[in-house]
Amino acid sequence: MLRSSRIQIRPRCAIKTTFKQVSSDPCFAPASFFSLKRLSTTRSHYEQLDSTKDIWNSLISKRSGLSKTIEDTNHRIGSNAEPSNKENVTTTSNGSLVNTSFVVKDNITTTQEETTSASQMLSNYKSPFNATVVSLLSAEGSKLVGKANLDELGMGSSSTNTFYGPVINPLYYKENDDNTKHIAGGSSGGSAAAVAAKLATFSLGTDTGGSVRLPASYCGVIGFKPTYGRISRWGVVPYAQTLDTVGVLSEDINIVEKVYRVLNQYDSKDPTSLPENTRQEIITTKTSDLSFLTIGLPEEFIIEDLSEEVKEIWVSVLANLQKMGHKVKTVSIPSIRHSLSAYYTLVTAEAASNLSRYDGVRYGYSVDDIQGSAHDMIVANRTKAFGAEVQRRILLGNYTLSSDSGDHYKKATQVRERLVKEFNQVFNLPHALVADDIDLSTGKCDILLSPTSIGSPPPIEEYLQQTEENFLNAYINDILTVPASLAGLPAISLPFGNHGIQIMGQFGDDDTVLALSKSLLD
């Protein structure tokens, strides 16, 4: 397991020590289903940007109706809508999302275009069905105008690990100035960039450890990850099933709430979808109490790596909450310190299992003219079609699942369990699925608040260089967002200046998270 005390909050020199320990471990020898030849090719495809795409490279595919402004796009799709039978859904003319447009991350299936997950392995894959979320949005009158770029198969926090070239952050970009090409965050960087560039009213991303919230923070938009299980994952290419959550990005908190209301329903096709009886049993904060909330400030998030600008914005938002009549207090959630190492232990193990299906034989990319055995063909297919970061995480996951790793997976699961219990001790409301013996007396918190990211997004070239020197540097970006993902909590990133502030609620208390967000942004 990666050493949490070194990865989470310490300087980069300590992280390099950990990297040397990992890279010299004989247990990290090549797995049987690809070679390590491409593990240093982090710049693969960067120079092959397609000039026909949007200048931010936020979209992998586009549909007719996409225009330069949201207003123009929504007008065109409203007056010249494509026949609904192409999507096999019935559109409601008076739906709650009529005259809106949306983009979906390209790991969410649609029938009209390929679902590539920004991977060469799936570059020719066309789904026979729409994801549940796509059907629900289309039925409410919103029109899909494109599919967003991402870190390959959702693995990354920069949207540079993509077969289609890095996503450029519209918040910082000035045309013809390479010095303003900053990362958009990831893995849902294309979804965030498309909204920031005003290509659509809203977008969908997937959040495994912060993949909606971090790019939202970097691109200056709102990014909402609902409670795990509230929104259907049917039609989402899996990365880590116990963590993957469909999220919503927009510049308008009211749109975020509308989209969430449409998608927040049980789906029998998704085994991780919360059933109706569980949804009814979830206790949420009373509407009458929303004016006088207790806001918790986790002391484990007060780390040296936070930039001064982020600290100033955090303090400013907390002061504003006090002026609004809310109470602010510090709380302690000790397991947050170990959450990043636990996360990467669990997520890589699940990824290794999920990605074993991609062999280029049943479907996916296949290398031509391979001489040798079936094993040789599969090795060639996976070595060629998977990028460096995907290969790295498969290796890490297979090691975790092997007998050589000892009980790393068990320990990571125990950290996750303790984290949930500690969150339960902090929140006023009980957890709907975990019957802990906890003290529900007064004095607890309704909401937790922290920064979303430790600082500003770096330039793409600088980020790629640092990551090539030490890939663990990229993992630190998730330190503030991973805890909510491990516990399945609702969390949202709100833009303040050029940074994001994160609001987290108890499991199932999404309405309180959205209500406080609306009051802060009003």
Side-chain angles (χ1 to χ4, degrees):
M1 187 189 300
L2 302 175
R3 304 281 184 186
S4 63
S5 60
R6 291 176 177 172
I7 288 183
Q8 286 187 3
I9 59 178
R10 294 297 92 203
R12 297 186 189 280
C13 58
I15 298 170
K16 290 181 180 179
T17 302
T18 307
F19 171 60
K20 290 178 182 177
Q21 293 171 350
V22 172
S23 60
S24 62
D25 193 323
C27 295
F28 280 78
S32 60
F33 282 123
F34 50 72
S35 73
L36 289 177
K37 291 180 180 178
R38 294 190 64 223
L39 281 181
S40 62
T41 57
T42 56
R43 296 168 186 264
S44 177
H45 302 288
Y46 177 45
E47 286 75 24
Q48 301 176 27
L49 297 180
D50 185 349
S51 61
T52 63
K53 292 184 173 69
D54 57 288
I55 59 174
W56 308 280
N57 202 36
S58 64
L59 301 180
I60 290 175
S61 59
K62 296 183 285 187
R63 291 188 180 181
S64 60
L66 183 65
S67 188
K68 293 183 179 180
T69 66
I70 293 176
E71 292 77 11
D72 191 25
T73 296
N74 293 345
H75 173 74
R76 292 174 65 181
I77 63 177
S79 57
N80 299 299
E82 296 179 2
S84 61
N85 60 5
K86 284 190 178 183
E87 293 289 1
N88 295 316
V89 296
T90 302
T91 302
T92 305
S93 59
N94 59 348
S96 60
L97 297 174
V98 167
N99 293 328
T100 66
S101 54
F102 72 102
V103 165
V104 297
K105 190 175 179 179
D106 201 32
N107 63 345
I108 298 174
T109 60
T110 56
T111 57
Q112 286 194 38
E113 51 276 299
E114 288 77 11
T115 298
T116 71
S117 289
S119 176
Q120 186 175 9
M121 178 62 79
L122 293 175
S123 57
N124 61 355
Y125 174 69
K126 198 165 187 178
S127 172
F129 60 89
N130 287 315
T132 295
V133 291
V134 172
S135 298
L136 289 174
L137 294 173
S138 299
E140 285 297 317
S142 193
K143 298 297 180 183
L144 177 62
V145 294
K147 302 195 73 176
N149 203 350
L150 65 146
D151 282 304
E152 183 180 5
L153 292 158
M155 301 185 192
S157 56
S158 62
S159 294
T160 59
N161 304 322
T162 161
F163 182 65
Y164 298 97
V167 178
I168 299 170
N169 192 326
L171 188 63
Y172 296 85
Y173 180 64
K174 295 179 182 178
E175 201 164 359
N176 301 320
D177 185 354
D178 287 344
N179 294 325
T180 63
K181 291 182 178 180
H182 291 247
I183 66 170
S187 60
S188 304
S191 298
V195 169
K198 304 186 187 304
L199 299 180
T201 313
F202 66 92
S203 67
L204 296 185
T206 56
D207 192 308
T208 306
S211 294
V212 163
R213 289 161 286 156
L214 182 65
S217 174
Y218 279 174
C219 293
V221 300
I222 301 165
F224 178 46
K225 181 198 83 72
T227 295
Y228 178 81
R230 278 206 177 271
I231 295 181
S232 172
R233 290 192 309 107
W234 174 256
V236 175
V237 177
Y239 169 20
Q241 288 102 319
T242 68
L243 293 156
D244 294 340
T245 305
V246 175
V248 187
L249 301 100
S250 180
E251 293 186 311
D252 186 342
I253 187 63
N254 295 305
I255 291 292
V256 171
E257 184 176 28
K258 279 185 180 180
V259 174
Y260 167 68
R261 301 292 179 213
V262 170
L263 300 180
N264 178 29
Q265 54 183 282
Y266 171 66
D267 182 8
S268 60
K269 298 187 293 294
D270 175 12
T272 63
S273 181
L274 291 174
E276 287 297 340
N277 61 331
T278 302
R279 293 168 187 260
Q280 297 301 320
E281 293 171 0
I282 293 176
I283 301 174
T284 59
T285 304
K286 295 179 181 178
T287 306
S288 58
D289 296 335
L290 294 179
S291 299
F292 306 99
L293 298 173
T294 300
I295 312 296
L297 173 65
E299 59 185 35
E300 288 77 14
F301 283 153
I302 305 173
I303 57 178
E304 295 179 6
D305 295 285
L306 289 178
S307 71
E308 289 302 317
E309 189 175 358
V310 168
K311 292 177 184 176
E312 290 174 5
I313 291 174
W314 192 10
V315 170
S316 175
V317 172
L318 289 170
N320 188 31
L321 286 166
Q322 289 179 311
K323 288 180 182 179
M324 294 166 63
H326 303 297
K327 179 182 177 181
V328 175
K329 60 180 292 187
T330 58
V331 297
S332 178
I333 306 171
S335 292
I336 283 178
R337 297 185 184 277
H338 309 290
S339 60
L340 197 64
S341 55
Y343 169 78
Y344 276 105
T345 300
L346 296 170
V347 80
T348 53
E350 292 190 38
S353 176
N354 281 323
L355 270 60
S356 62
R357 73 192 71 181
Y358 302 127
D359 53 21
V361 178
R362 289 163 292 185
Y363 57 88
Y365 179 86
S366 185
V367 177
D368 296 329
D369 301 325
I370 290 294
Q371 303 296 323
S373 66
H375 178 272
D376 294 335
M377 178 180 65
I378 293 173
V379 168
N381 290 342
R382 288 166 67 85
T383 300
K384 173 68 174 175
F386 283 142
E389 183 60 28
V390 173
Q391 292 189 26
R392 181 179 294 115
R393 296 195 188 194
I394 292 174
L395 285 171
L396 290 170
N398 279 322
Y399 171 71
T400 297
L401 294 173
S402 71
S403 59
D404 295 323
S405 73
D407 58 354
H408 285 176
Y409 187 87
K410 179 182 177 181
K411 288 181 178 178
T413 303
Q414 291 171 341
V415 168
R416 189 177 191 180
E417 183 179 356
R418 286 198 304 271
L419 182 67
V420 172
K421 290 183 178 180
E422 290 168 12
F423 273 123
N424 289 345
Q425 293 288 351
V426 165
F427 283 117
N428 274 319
L429 297 176
H431 195 294
L433 302 180
V434 180
D436 284 334
D437 262 342
I438 60 174
D439 179 13
L440 293 177
S441 61
T442 58
K444 301 296 182 67
C445 297
D446 302 296
I447 287 292
L448 299 177
L449 190 137
S450 76
T452 309
S453 60
I454 61 177
S456 302
I460 292 175
E461 288 293 338
E462 177 185 324
Y463 178 86
L464 291 175
Q465 182 177 353
Q466 291 177 349
T467 303
E468 193 165 317
E469 293 172 358
N470 181 2
F471 72 89
L472 293 179
N473 287 332
Y475 294 1
I476 300 178
N477 291 332
D478 298 327
I479 183 173
L480 299 171
T481 55
V482 156
S485 293
L486 283 173
L489 306 181
I492 193 169
S493 178
L494 305 177
F496 290 92
N498 287 347
H499 298 282
I501 291 296
Q502 180 179 219
I503 297 173
M504 294 166 279
Q506 175 60 297
F507 186 94
D509 200 16
D510 303 63
D511 288 349
T512 301
V513 171
L514 291 170
L516 182 61
S517 300
K518 291 175 74 173
S519 65
L520 273 173
L521 294 176
D522 282 346

